Amino acid sequence: MHVGQTNHEPQQEKEVAKSSVRGVDIEFDSERLASIHGIPGNNSICEYIKEIWEESKYTKTLEITRNFTNDNTIMEARRVRSIEMKPFQRFIHFLLMKNVVPRFRKRDTTSYMDLIYMDHLIARRLVNLPRVMMRHMSYVISVKDHKLPYRDWLTMVFEDFSVPLVDKQGDDEIIAPAEEEEKEEEDQNVDLIGKK
């Protein structure tokens, strides 16, 4: 799958995913993704910043670090380990790692972007999930040794484009959970939600 940017809109670039799956050409953007899943694609936060720790129009980096470490004596913005968070914050972090910006490594440590999304989710401020997903897929594709995320979400996209998801005999699904991968994920996630 290729996720790139096109300049259909004069004011902002738009991510578009293009691929051919089982001989069916598919192409979608964040608006189509929102429509397929029945979720709002709005003008709320959709920043996708991996490593930059700078002041944001959404929140102050030092303030957000203090909020998630629960330590007002911290003098510098930094990554926050899940062990430093309150149980509810760890739960939100776990949901974020599994659903919003899934990743297979470094799940016990937050990035700047993770903290912003968590802050928005806890405060019940909107996040433009379809655009975040498009940006995350674009990033993942550009990095070596990363797996394409959103397996379950993409299944619905394939169905919307009438991609056949079962083989000719009707027995085997194309998209089947990788049991070993899920077992490995479960083992890694125990310390995110079960221990302090």
Side-chain angles (χ1 to χ4, degrees), residues 15 45-52 100-103 112-113 117 131-140 150:
E15 297 83 16
I45 182 175
C46 59
E47 277 189 13
Y48 193 85
I49 304 166
K50 292 304 286 181
E51 296 299 327
I52 301 169
V100 180
V101 283
R103 59 181 180 242
Y112 171 68
M113 176 183 61
Y117 291 150
R131 286 227 34 222
V132 169
M133 289 171 66
M134 295 296 291
R135 290 178 176 190
H136 188 57
M137 284 190 289
S138 181
Y139 169 77
V140 166
Y150 309 117

Side-chain angles (χ1 to χ4, degrees), residues 20-26 154-170 172-175:
S20 179
V21 180
R22 286 230 161 158
V24 178
D25 291 332
I26 62 173
L154 289 174
T155 300
M156 289 179 69
V157 171
F158 298 154
E159 289 171 348
D160 188 68
F161 281 92
S162 301
V163 174
L165 297 180
V166 286
D167 69 4
K168 302 229 187 268
Q169 294 135 4
D172 300 324
E173 291 187 26
I174 292 174
I175 302 176

